Amino acid sequence: MKMLIYGEHRDGQIRKITFENITLARQLGAEFEVVFIGQVNDNFKEQAAKYGASKVLFVKNEKLNTYSPDGYAKVLMRIIKDRTPDVLLMGATATGKDLAPRVSALLNAPMATDCIKVELENGQLKLVRPMYAGKVRANIQLNGDLQIVTVRPNVYQASEQAVDAGSEEISVEAPDFKAIVKEIVSGAKEKLDVTEADIIVSGGRGMKGPENWHLIEELASLLGAATGASRAAVDAGWRPHDEQVGQTGKTVSPTLYIAVGISGAIQHLAGMSSSKYIVAINKDPEAPIFKIADYGIVADLFEVLPRMIEELKKM
Ligand code: FAD
């Protein structure tokens, strides 16, 4: 099984999902290469090698320094035609969601997105992905010379296993782009991305208003966590959209998800039910969130959060 892993990077840093996918390919015993397109850092090869990537491909071209949806898809198509991998492995990230279907359409290749389990049996991939807002899990087998798979971030833990890596620079003529990203306006740089966080503290309508969010932020900061929100909190304008967890927000799989004042509507669960441990704080014992929580605290959050913060400060 030959895999090509799309090396996702931003602001000169390799994204965590790339290391997770390298670890996954290694654990599957696949032969694999990692391709980085665009403005790369000199240390990318060493970084990837730390996780076991022995072959790293760089596609450099000034025109590719900024992400272009159709441009990157065409470049990937050329690389795939040249290297003939059996599988293209990407992250089920914003980029993966944008790019994978374009490559799939260009190459008429079958695709399974947002997989939470990837196994290899008798040379055939066996995939599991949630469907219908997480209500069911589908076992999927793709059929095609090239199979495209995107993997949900944080499902596979990246683990180091250093190897000597070789690299190759691939020169491609940048195609004519139909769409060029002119500018990326990013939010607070120091903020931990909710999709990459190992711990998330999320607040919902039960928080009553933005003026109380300092409780979520303080707890998150003590735990080294990212902050998330339900759609109700985002729609009310209490929190920015990039924090929204759920069907129309982000899909997260942290080790620990703390849901505070969130009822647990199916659309919220769709984005966080694959978290390893779920802690719910809600004053309503009938709240659906308790059905999937590993630990539940039935209480007023305005009493619980200050006490949790106080205890954590003592540690
Ligand atoms: P509520 O459902 O109002 O729950 C608030 C909870 O806080 C209650 O359970 C209450 O008991 C508790 N509470 C109140 N006061 C306290 C207190 N003092 N102490 C402790 N607990 C307290 N939702 C998402 O989150 N993400 C999505 O991506 C998303 N996408 C959607 C897509 C579609 C097409 C649709 C139709 C809906 C979507 N929703 C999404 C909305 C979803 O259906 C719910 O309306 C939303 O998740 C509710 O948010 P909430 O749990 O914060 O609010």
Side-chain angles (χ1 to χ4, degrees):
M1 165 89 34
K2 226 164 85 176
M3 290 186 166
L4 181 72
I5 298 174
Y6 177 74
E8 206 174 306
H9 59 100
R10 195 193 291 165
D11 300 329
Q13 300 290 330
I14 300 179
R15 306 296 305 251
K16 197 166 137 227
I17 182 66
T18 306
F19 300 129
E20 292 169 10
N21 278 345
I22 291 173
T23 307
L24 170 62
R26 209 184 70 212
Q27 286 169 354
L28 292 173
E31 190 190 315
F32 65 95
E33 298 178 318
V34 185
V35 61
F36 291 103
I37 304 176
Q39 208 163 15
V40 297
N41 234 341
D42 290 342
N43 65 8
F44 276 14
K45 184 179 88 171
E46 283 68 34
Q47 280 193 52
K50 252 205 274 178
Y51 289 85
S54 56
K55 187 79 188 277
V56 179
L57 312 174
F58 293 112
V59 185
K60 295 182 192 167
N61 183 317
E62 236 176 52
K63 277 195 185 167
L64 297 169
N65 282 354
T66 334
Y67 177 71
S68 148
D70 61 301
Y72 270 44
K74 284 178 196 146
V75 168
L76 263 181
M77 176 181 72
R78 284 179 200 172
I79 296 165
I80 287 164
K81 281 189 171 164
D82 183 43
R83 320 293 292 191
T84 60
D86 304 302
V87 175
L88 170 66
L89 198 60
M90 303 182 74
T93 57
T95 306
K97 282 176 190 160
D98 188 43
L99 201 48
R102 293 173 193 276
V103 180
S104 166
L106 283 171
L107 290 166
N108 197 22
M111 175 176 76
T113 57
D114 200 22
C115 295
I116 54 168
K117 200 167 183 188
V118 180
E119 287 174 337
L120 191 56
E121 216 177 87
N122 302 326
Q124 175 69 49
L125 283 182
K126 289 181 76 186
L127 309 160
V128 178
R129 65 182 296 267
M131 285 170 68
Y132 305 119
K135 275 191 187 142
V136 297
R137 289 185 173 189
N139 296 327
I140 294 189
Q141 201 167 311
L142 299 175
N143 190 9
D145 293 340
L146 170 72
Q147 303 176 2
I148 300 178
V149 176
T150 73
V151 182
R152 183 178 287 194
N154 265 345
V155 168
Y156 288 94
Q157 298 306 310
S159 72
E160 293 189 13
Q161 193 185 88
V163 290
D164 286 333
S167 65
E168 191 177 325
E169 224 175 277
I170 300 179
S171 84
V172 291
E173 232 176 81
D176 283 335
F177 299 153
K178 285 195 180 126
I180 301 170
V181 177
K182 286 278 191 195
E183 190 188 5
I184 293 174
V185 183
S186 53
K189 273 244 163 91
E190 65 284 359
K191 212 167 98 175
L192 200 54
D193 189 322
V194 84
T195 57
E196 294 195 342
D198 200 38
I199 305 177
I200 298 171
V201 184
S202 264
R205 196 173 354 233
M207 290 301 298
K208 306 278 190 276
E211 66 282 4
N212 298 320
W213 228 267
H214 64 95
L215 292 168
I216 297 280
E217 277 162 350
E218 210 174 337
L219 180 60
S221 137
L222 285 163
L223 293 169
T227 55
S230 72
R231 178 160 161 181
V234 172
D235 282 354
W238 301 348
R239 297 308 291 172
H241 187 261
D242 67 356
E243 284 190 8
Q244 186 182 316
V245 173
Q247 190 182 322
T248 40
K250 297 207 170 137
T251 305
V252 298
S253 281
T255 304
L256 175 61
Y257 188 89
I258 306 181
V260 186
I262 292 177
S263 60
I266 185 75
Q267 296 88 354
H268 188 80
L269 304 188
M272 46 64 77
S273 58
S274 59
S275 305
K276 291 200 177 60
Y277 296 100
I278 297 168
V279 174
I281 305 170
N282 199 306
K283 65 178 183 184
D284 174 9
E286 301 298 323
I289 191 80
F290 288 126
K291 289 206 177 99
I292 62 149
D294 298 283
Y295 299 93
I297 304 174
V298 181
D300 188 329
L301 68 91
F302 294 105
E303 285 171 22
V304 175
L305 288 189
R307 281 173 67 182
M308 282 175 87
I309 290 165
E310 200 184 304
E311 288 303 318
L312 282 166
K313 277 186 178 161
K314 289 185 200 158
M315 291 171 96

